[in-house]
Amino acid sequence: MRFCRVNLTYFCAPMNLQPAIYFAPFQGITTKAFRAVYARYFAGVDKLFTPYFANIAVDYPLPALKMKALQHQSENGIPVIPQILSKSAPEILSFARSCAALGFGELNWNLGCPYPQVARKKRGSGMLPFPEMVDEILDQVMPHMPLSFSVKCRLGYTKASEIMDLLPVFNRYPVSELTIHARTGKQLYSGKTDPDAFGAALEGFQVPVVYNGDIFTTEDFRNISGLFPGISRFMIGRGILQDPFLPARIKGLPQPGDGRAVLRGFLDDLYFETRREKKDSPSALNAMKEYWTYLMFAFEEPVVVFRRLKKAGSFDDYEDATNEVFAHDSLKIQD
Ligand SMILES: Cc1cc2nc3c(=O)[nH]c(=O)nc-3n(C[C@H](O)[C@H](O)[C@H](O)COP(=O)(O)O)c2cc1C
């Protein structure tokens, strides 16, 4: 089935309105607990995403663990968007039906995961060199999709030019948004983003495009939005993990007087929620330490901060280390 449409959203992006800012998904970090606690403490984010779901049993109810990880449809008024990593139309549709039944309004398809064990199987960014495969899946999925269907991809897997062959495919379907991480899959998360390739592709898209990649500061945001004045939607990942105040700062929203106290409150709530979510298993400690690999950059001396945290072998050690950080280390953001 082919869809014909004219979508002028990109060309008519309002210049004077606030940008939309989406908090990117992170497997193992932006969990249910993280999303809930983040949304209670910080302003400025317009959409939250779940880390990707995979291995969905077609036409079976979702198992309890997946149901739990999907809670809730929104956090403090911010919509939560579930994400699926799949190369099977029936699997995508089955998950979409479950999400629709739970009250979600949008499902996001992960075509960006770069990890070789995923990409090798033509999943995630590994599907990007095969536009005919993307076409076939969209062709099967879109006529039956019970909710808005958005896509998150990269410029390509091996070459940034792959996006040019995907462009007519995405334009054929009523995909609600296309987030493009301006790197190739082969680059993983390092090396330079490629704004030129992003800009070249942008001109041809009729689907509303969301920019993603390496926005860490308000200055990065100004640079990217200066390069692409027609873009009004931005997905930010590591920048928010490192500086949870970043979306509010980008939007010029009021900042708390005592940012340090807000950050401490957020971290403490996140710690206790994570312990609860993981039933006090050691994985709660590991999850907090993983988050600190990003949050350490909120401090003037990240290496010193992380050294305090990484040796914590118990919850008591972790609490002592966090107390030490907040007693001795200066914040780079907000102070
Ligand atoms: C540890 C880790 C886990 C990630 N998990 C996901 C995921 O589940 N789904 C997804 O679409 N992207 C995932 N990403 C990619 C981020 O969402 C984001 O696209 C990427 O970090 C680039 O944006 P940034 O430069 O703003 O961080 C992950 C990235 C990292 C480093």
Side-chain angles (χ1 to χ4, degrees):
M1 182 179 290
R2 289 285 179 262
F3 294 85
C4 174
R5 68 163 193 192
V6 177
N7 186 329
L8 296 179
T9 311
Y10 162 64
F11 301 99
C12 300
M15 308 301 290
N16 52 350
L17 293 180
Q18 285 284 23
I21 297 182
Y22 303 161
F23 194 162
F26 279 75
Q27 199 63 239
I29 298 180
T30 58
T31 59
K32 168 173 95 88
F34 191 101
R35 297 190 298 270
V37 179
Y38 180 86
R40 272 208 304 274
Y41 275 86
F42 301 101
V45 164
D46 297 284
K47 281 185 188 177
L48 294 157
F49 288 73
T50 72
Y52 68 74
F53 285 77
N55 305 319
I56 305 296
V58 174
D59 292 336
Y60 276 89
L62 290 173
L65 263 182
K66 285 192 165 72
M67 288 289 278
K68 224 169 141 191
L70 268 173
Q71 287 169 348
H72 304 102
Q73 300 87 338
S74 67
E75 294 294 354
N76 205 13
I78 307 171
V80 173
I81 317 301
Q83 187 187 63
I84 184 158
L85 176 84
S86 173
K87 60 175 181 182
S88 149
E91 185 185 25
I92 294 171
L93 279 172
S94 184
F95 188 60
R97 282 192 289 270
S98 299
C99 291
L102 289 169
F104 288 98
E106 177 182 337
L107 174 64
N108 184 263
W109 187 23
N110 181 325
L111 289 181
C113 183
Y115 293 115
Q117 64 273 30
V118 169
R120 211 180 293 128
K121 296 181 193 150
K122 296 187 183 167
R123 303 199 312 159
S125 65
M127 203 190 296
L128 299 177
F130 306 98
E132 66 289 349
M133 199 170 158
V134 177
D135 196 6
E136 196 183 318
I137 293 173
L138 286 174
D139 192 48
Q140 291 172 30
V141 153
M142 292 312 289
H144 310 288
M145 182 52 62
L147 21 71
S148 292
F149 193 60
S150 59
V151 176
K152 179 166 181 274
C153 71
R154 291 182 176 232
L155 293 168
Y157 182 61
T158 51
K159 297 188 302 268
S161 57
E162 288 164 22
I163 193 74
M164 299 313 269
D165 294 326
L166 290 157
L167 200 152
V169 174
F170 289 126
N171 280 347
R172 268 201 288 279
Y173 298 94
V175 168
S176 61
E177 277 179 345
L178 178 70
T179 298
I180 305 177
H181 177 186
R183 283 194 172 85
T184 61
K186 281 277 187 194
Q187 284 181 277
L188 299 173
Y189 296 100
S190 55
K192 284 195 181 327
T193 52
D194 190 343
D196 290 344
F198 178 87
L202 199 54
E203 290 174 18
F205 274 113
Q206 289 162 16
V207 178
V209 171
V210 181
Y211 176 88
N212 174 230
D214 285 9
I215 296 179
F216 292 98
T217 61
T218 46
E219 194 188 348
D220 293 338
F221 176 79
R222 273 195 301 276
N223 290 340
I224 291 295
S225 44
L227 281 178
F228 307 114
I231 291 276
S232 60
R233 309 168 198 211
F234 301 83
M235 180 179 275
I236 305 179
R238 291 164 296 178
I240 304 181
L241 294 178
Q242 295 180 13
D243 175 1
F245 301 95
L246 182 61
R249 205 175 302 113
I250 285 173
K251 290 185 174 181
L253 303 177
Q255 294 286 314
D258 189 350
R260 199 177 177 82
V262 172
L263 191 62
R264 181 71 208 249
F266 162 65
L267 263 177
D268 287 352
D269 278 9
L270 179 63
Y271 167 67
F272 287 113
E273 278 295 317
T274 304
R275 281 183 63 171
R276 209 153 60 111
E277 187 176 75
K278 298 186 181 297
K279 299 195 167 59
D280 275 346
S281 77
S283 66
L285 199 55
N286 294 336
M288 290 308 298
K289 283 195 205 171
E290 190 178 354
Y291 178 46
W292 272 101
T293 64
Y294 297 93
L295 191 65
M296 65 180 180
F297 294 106
F299 292 83
E300 293 288 357
E301 294 192 75
V303 177
V304 174
V305 166
F306 194 63
R307 205 179 294 137
R308 294 190 200 280
L309 265 304
K310 80 168 180 209
K311 49 182 201 280
S314 67
F315 291 127
D316 283 349
D317 289 349
Y318 173 87
E319 289 167 28
D320 290 346
T322 309
N323 286 337
E324 269 181 42
V325 168
F326 278 87
H328 301 295
D329 296 299
S330 306
L331 263 188
K332 190 165 68 187
I333 56 168
Q334 270 287 315
D335 265 358

